[in-house]
Amino acid sequence: MTTTALIVAAGRGERAGGGVPKQYRLLGGKPVLRWAVEALIRHPAVQAARVVIGNGQRELAKAALAGLEIGELIEGGSERADSVRAGLAAIEGDAVLVHDAARPFCPPSVIDRLIASLEFYEGAAPVLPVGDTLAQIDNTLGAPVDRSRLVRVQTPQAFRLVSLKAAYERWSGPSPTDETSVLAAAGIKVAAVDGDPALDKLTRPADFGRAEQWLAGALRPSTGMGFDVHAFAGEGPLMLGGIEIPHERGLAGHSDADVVLHAITDALLGAGGLGDIGEHFPPSDARWKGAASSLFLARAVDLLHERGAIIDHVDCTIIAEAPKIGPHREAIRTRVAEIAGLSIDQVSIKATTTEGLGFTGRREGIAANAVATIRTGFLK
Ligand code: CTP
Ligand code: MG
């Protein structure tokens, strides 16, 4: 089954206020829209993602989504349903996850449940029970409403694409707040799966403070360490941190022997409790013979992202008598940041000699130490 994520972000966020439409405001330093898109894109069941944006939001959206694989931005309409319709017209495949950009935190387990439901249902939505008393109001409180059969309905919602498209074609009511009413009107049963409070929509100004607080409390930092050594052998150049460095000697190894990327990859795997580089890319596997180590680092980053981790920082110390690292430091930093999808200030590269002592001092090889800091915890 191929599944496309369709994120609707074409609203003006009038109730939230705040100058810029709420989907472009920052939470934990990242635009709300980017949180929402990343959470869906990173789920292994999602093959493609498209984003529907509002009139005049193209530059904001481009900046918020830089580097993500989301194809062309789609222009939405004046009501949410118009935006969803525009999105549906642009996508293909078996299933679609329609999601509000204003719900930045989507746990992968919710997507697991939605996708599983599509085996038996044409649509599925995450729901939560209502905790508070519900009542009618007309200046003063009126009669309470029986809440025992009421739920709060969230997004993402999963649908078989043909069913949702057909249901929208038949829909003639006012703009619905989500797709469940469109399917219900077409007489199609929608499965209810367990939702998650993390998915609550940002609607009013106070929701942003609550989301920031929740984010701070929900994330747990962890640190990983990596260490690697490669011996000099044969002629240079040598690979360090994903760039080629001129040197009279090269480094020996099964892959490209990039000791810097190996140490950083191991640090990231360590931070995520994901084993080590040898386990993921065994030297016994011919696939990795002469492989560019950028593959290893990119894979470690993907594994972390699939688990909902945020990578905060990596720091690496290169231990070598020669070549001199200083002149290449910024280039290495830039390349490591590029491979790992980080900004330059999230990557630190340092170098030291061992004052002529030990194997590095005798110029027999190069060693590298790395530390990675990540945050995980809320996206279960
Ligand atoms: N949305 C959309 N197109 C619209 C209206 C809304 O794509 N014409 C999107 C919003 O960007 C949001 C989601 O639908 O991600 C849920 O809508 P809502 O919370 O109502 O967002 P806004 O319409 O932006 O907010 P408000 O109603 O307060 O103006
Ligand atoms: Mg709205």
Side-chain angles (χ1 to χ4, degrees):
M1 188 169 79
T2 58
T3 303
T4 303
L6 182 64
I7 297 99
V8 285
R12 287 193 297 273
E14 272 161 5
R15 284 168 292 174
V20 53
K22 61 188 177 184
Q23 60 273 34
Y24 302 109
R25 281 172 63 179
L26 302 183
L27 275 182
K30 194 193 284 196
V32 167
L33 170 61
R34 191 176 182 98
W35 279 106
V37 173
E38 282 183 350
L40 266 56
I41 275 187
R42 284 171 182 169
H43 194 282
V46 174
Q47 278 81 40
R50 299 297 296 273
V51 179
V52 184
I53 59 160
N55 200 354
Q57 295 179 353
R58 192 162 289 270
E59 292 313 310
L60 280 169
K62 272 194 189 163
L65 298 168
L68 299 182
E69 263 182 57
I70 46 146
E72 287 283 300
L73 294 168
I74 301 164
E75 285 265 345
S78 60
E79 302 288 340
R80 184 183 176 286
D82 304 322
S83 301
V84 175
R85 279 195 161 110
L88 290 176
I91 64 171
E92 289 171 352
D94 305 312
V96 59
L97 285 169
V98 184
H99 189 38
D100 293 333
R103 301 180 192 267
F105 308 127
C106 181
S109 55
V110 174
I111 301 178
D112 293 342
R113 292 193 281 274
L114 291 167
I115 300 278
S117 295
L118 284 192
E119 201 181 321
F120 308 103
Y121 292 89
E122 286 165 73
V127 305
L128 284 178
V130 180
D132 298 318
T133 299
L134 293 177
Q136 315 254 1
I137 190 160
D138 183 9
N139 288 324
T140 54
L141 273 187
V145 175
D146 175 16
R147 67 177 189 210
S148 61
R149 290 168 60 82
L150 294 179
V151 288
R152 302 198 283 127
V153 183
Q154 303 177 310
T155 79
Q157 297 172 0
F159 303 97
R160 294 191 168 272
L161 188 54
V162 282
S163 309
L164 183 58
K165 282 186 176 178
Y168 255 113
E169 264 158 37
R170 277 190 266 165
W171 175 262
S172 58
S175 185
T177 50
D178 67 17
E179 283 51 62
T180 54
S181 30
V182 181
L183 253 74
I188 300 172
K189 287 214 182 318
V190 177
V193 306
D194 282 342
D196 196 298
L199 271 172
D200 282 351
K201 187 159 69 69
L202 299 168
T203 304
R204 295 189 173 74
D207 295 338
F208 281 80
R210 188 179 42 76
E212 278 288 5
Q213 250 173 2
W214 180 86
L215 186 59
L219 293 175
R220 180 177 49 85
S222 37
T223 305
M225 240 173 63
F227 177 67
D228 195 34
V229 172
H230 281 273
F232 281 120
E235 289 178 3
L238 50 86
M239 291 299 287
L240 282 183
I243 65 164
E244 216 177 79
I245 295 193
H247 193 55
E248 63 272 16
R249 311 199 60 193
L251 289 172
H254 187 255
S255 64
D256 64 4
D258 190 325
V259 63
V260 171
L261 293 190
H262 294 180
I264 293 174
T265 301
D266 242 10
L268 285 168
L269 291 172
L274 297 171
D276 62 31
I277 194 168
E279 221 175 297
H280 290 272
F281 312 102
S284 55
D285 189 332
R287 260 188 306 168
W288 313 122
K289 189 165 167 43
S293 299
S294 54
L295 286 177
F296 305 161
L297 175 54
R299 179 71 190 132
V301 169
D302 281 349
L303 285 170
L304 288 172
H305 285 165
E306 279 167 19
R307 285 158 180 76
I310 298 166
I311 302 170
D312 281 325
H313 195 258
V314 294
D315 179 27
C316 178
T317 304
I318 304 168
I319 306 161
E321 214 70 29
K324 282 264 164 285
I325 304 301
H328 308 289
R329 215 168 72 102
E330 282 310 299
I332 294 177
R333 243 184 125 191
T334 306
R335 180 67 187 130
V336 169
E338 188 178 78
I339 299 165
L342 298 171
S343 63
I344 262 224
D345 56 316
Q346 290 175 296
V347 178
S348 155
I349 302 289
K350 317 188 300 301
T352 184
T353 69
T354 47
E355 302 285 342
L357 298 172
F359 70 89
T360 49
R362 291 189 299 272
R363 300 172 187 244
E364 291 165 9
I366 297 184
N369 270 318
V371 177
T373 312
I374 69 169
R375 279 175 297 154
T376 47
F378 70 94
L379 287 173
K380 287 281 164 48

